[in-house]
Amino acid sequence: MSKKTTYLLGILLTIIIGTLLFCYLCDDCYCCPEDEVTTEETNTIVAEPEVNQVTRNGFSLSDANGNFNVKINDNFNFKTSKFSILDTISPNVTEGVTKLKDFLLENPLKTVDITGYYKSDETNNSAFPNLGLARANSVKNYLVSQGIPSKQININGQLNDAINPDDSGTLFGPLEFGMLTSKEGATDEALAAICDDIRKNPIVLYFKTGQAEINLTTDQREKIANISRCVDKLGVKIQVVGHTDNTGNANTNMRLGQERADFAKDYLVRNGILEPNIETSSKGPNDPIADNNTKDGQAKNRRTVITIN
């Protein structure tokens, strides 16, 4: 072999060895097959976003003595941040409610407890202290419409962030049902005291000209819930009375007072208080609580009072 040939072979061998070493030692090399490249990016595990399982609570209710038992996969459903029952009530639920009505009418000492759930990220647009209570009240109203006495229904509201809606924002059965037995002839002295306090300290609403909505305080929301209980358990009626100041025509003021009372009634009905339980009237300028000779006094006299009889 000539020196020239040996020299060329040496150069070729050097190129081959250098290329192999370069591909072996480099982390991102064009000469390496794509499926053999090991980089920090290809070794990174991308976590899949966590998907919460949609909660589906069935309509389940049983008596401790074993005399009544209903277990249905369907239930009353709601949209998030809403308290009205969705219109599509399952026939199975309707059938279960009919069985419940028959049982309760035969057992007047039995009562149903309805606990409505709500999530902390929901917006409470109801007149009740929380959406859970408003939802339970809506279910109570449905049961009453099916012939179940309101005296045999208790409602509660409870925060529950474990419930999850579907992609459309529907909550399937954010409720829990229970059954209790009350003592014959027992009176709820605590509730009677609450109802008496409402009579002494009713809800008073002051309206600005052209006001189209009512914004209740936390205390007023609690009173709405208590008023609802008084109506359900004691059979009393809600009294909504409109008042005005003494400026203008007396007949006009009587009409204005009635309009204010009707406006408040409409608000209560839209928030789940049954219309037959509400009575409205107007006293116009005839029952002032402040001096009509001052602007401040006139403003206090332009009010609507919500109480019970």
Side-chain angles (χ1 to χ4, degrees), residues 25-75:
L25 294 176
C26 79
D27 287 333
D28 189 11
C29 177
Y30 66 90
C31 64
C32 301
E34 185 175 348
D35 59 348
E36 292 181 3
V37 175
T38 302
T39 68
E40 183 177 353
E41 181 178 353
T42 58
N43 284 331
T44 301
I45 299 176
V46 179
E48 293 291 332
E50 184 177 350
V51 178
N52 291 323
Q53 182 113 16
V54 176
T55 304
R56 297 180 183 272
N57 293 327
F59 178 39
S60 179
L61 179 60
S62 61
D63 178 37
N65 297 327
N67 298 323
F68 179 83
N69 184 52
V70 167
K71 191 171 185 179
I72 302 169
N73 290 331
D74 301 318
N75 208 329

Side-chain angles (χ1 to χ4, degrees), residues 232-297:
D232 292 338
K233 299 300 182 181
L234 303 182
V236 299
K237 295 289 186 181
I238 300 173
Q239 305 289 327
V240 184
V241 184
H243 300 264
T244 69
D245 58 33
N246 67 348
T247 59
N249 181 274
N251 291 332
T252 300
N253 283 332
M254 290 298 293
R255 187 177 66 252
L256 179 57
Q258 186 63 49
E259 290 174 354
R260 286 174 178 161
D262 292 340
F263 179 75
K265 174 184 177 179
D266 180 66
Y267 173 80
L268 294 176
V269 171
R270 285 188 283 110
N271 279 274
I273 305 298
L274 297 178
E275 185 173 5
N277 295 326
I278 307 172
E279 298 175 347
T280 64
S281 62
S282 171
K283 290 189 177 181
N286 299 325
D287 191 16
I289 58 173
D291 186 357
N292 273 311
N293 293 318
T294 66
K295 293 293 185 182
D296 183 62

Side-chain angles (χ1 to χ4, degrees), residues 7-285:
Y7 178 75
L8 291 174
L9 287 175
I11 293 174
L12 179 62
L13 183 60
T14 300
I15 292 172
I16 293 173
I17 293 174
T19 301
L20 291 174
L21 287 175
F22 181 75
C23 286
Y24 180 78
L25 294 176
C26 79
D27 287 333
D28 189 11
C29 177
Y30 66 90
C31 64
C32 301
E34 185 175 348
D35 59 348
E36 292 181 3
V37 175
T38 302
T39 68
E40 183 177 353
E41 181 178 353
T42 58
N43 284 331
T44 301
I45 299 176
V46 179
E48 293 291 332
E50 184 177 350
V51 178
N52 291 323
Q53 182 113 16
V54 176
T55 304
R56 297 180 183 272
N57 293 327
F59 178 39
S60 179
L61 179 60
S62 61
D63 178 37
N65 297 327
N67 298 323
F68 179 83
N69 184 52
V70 167
K71 191 171 185 179
I72 302 169
N73 290 331
D74 301 318
N75 208 329
F76 300 97
N77 305 321
F78 302 81
K79 284 294 186 180
T80 53
S81 297
K82 304 293 183 181
F83 59 88
S84 297
I85 301 170
L86 292 180
D87 293 334
T88 52
I89 298 177
S90 163
N92 294 330
V93 172
T94 303
E95 182 181 352
V97 169
T98 300
K99 292 179 180 178
L100 176 61
K101 178 194 72 173
D102 295 339
F103 178 77
L104 291 175
L105 292 179
E106 292 174 1
N107 298 271
L109 296 182
K110 297 289 185 180
T111 58
V112 174
D113 272 6
I114 307 172
T115 300
Y117 293 137
Y118 67 100
K119 296 173 66 69
S120 57
D121 59 357
E122 292 188 270
T123 301
N124 179 20
N125 293 313
S126 77
F128 287 84
N130 59 69
L131 265 179
L133 190 59
R135 285 169 176 156
N137 182 71
S138 293
V139 175
K140 178 207 71 181
N141 288 344
Y142 175 78
L143 298 185
V144 170
S145 74
Q146 301 304 301
I148 296 177
S150 60
K151 289 183 178 180
Q152 290 179 262
I153 307 172
N154 302 318
I155 60 173
N156 309 282
Q158 183 177 319
L159 176 66
N160 185 353
D161 278 324
I163 57 173
N164 298 307
D166 68 359
D167 292 339
S168 70
T170 299
L171 288 163
F172 297 94
L175 304 155
E176 185 176 349
F177 298 87
M179 188 173 289
L180 301 173
T181 303
S182 58
K183 294 181 180 180
E184 188 171 1
T187 57
D188 192 335
E189 295 181 359
L191 178 60
I194 288 173
C195 298
D196 285 341
D197 182 68
I198 290 170
R199 295 183 182 99
K200 297 173 184 175
N201 302 285
I203 297 175
V204 181
L205 305 175
Y206 297 98
F207 294 106
K208 296 179 180 179
T209 302
Q211 183 175 341
E213 190 53 83
I214 295 174
N215 297 310
L216 299 179
T217 65
T218 300
D219 180 65
Q220 288 172 336
R221 290 175 187 272
E222 290 290 345
K223 283 189 177 182
I224 290 293
N226 288 332
I227 286 174
S228 180
R229 289 179 61 202
C230 295
V231 170
D232 292 338
K233 299 300 182 181
L234 303 182
V236 299
K237 295 289 186 181
I238 300 173
Q239 305 289 327
V240 184
V241 184
H243 300 264
T244 69
D245 58 33
N246 67 348
T247 59
N249 181 274
N251 291 332
T252 300
N253 283 332
M254 290 298 293
R255 187 177 66 252
L256 179 57
Q258 186 63 49
E259 290 174 354
R260 286 174 178 161
D262 292 340
F263 179 75
K265 174 184 177 179
D266 180 66
Y267 173 80
L268 294 176
V269 171
R270 285 188 283 110
N271 279 274
I273 305 298
L274 297 178
E275 185 173 5
N277 295 326
I278 307 172
E279 298 175 347
T280 64
S281 62
S282 171
K283 290 189 177 181

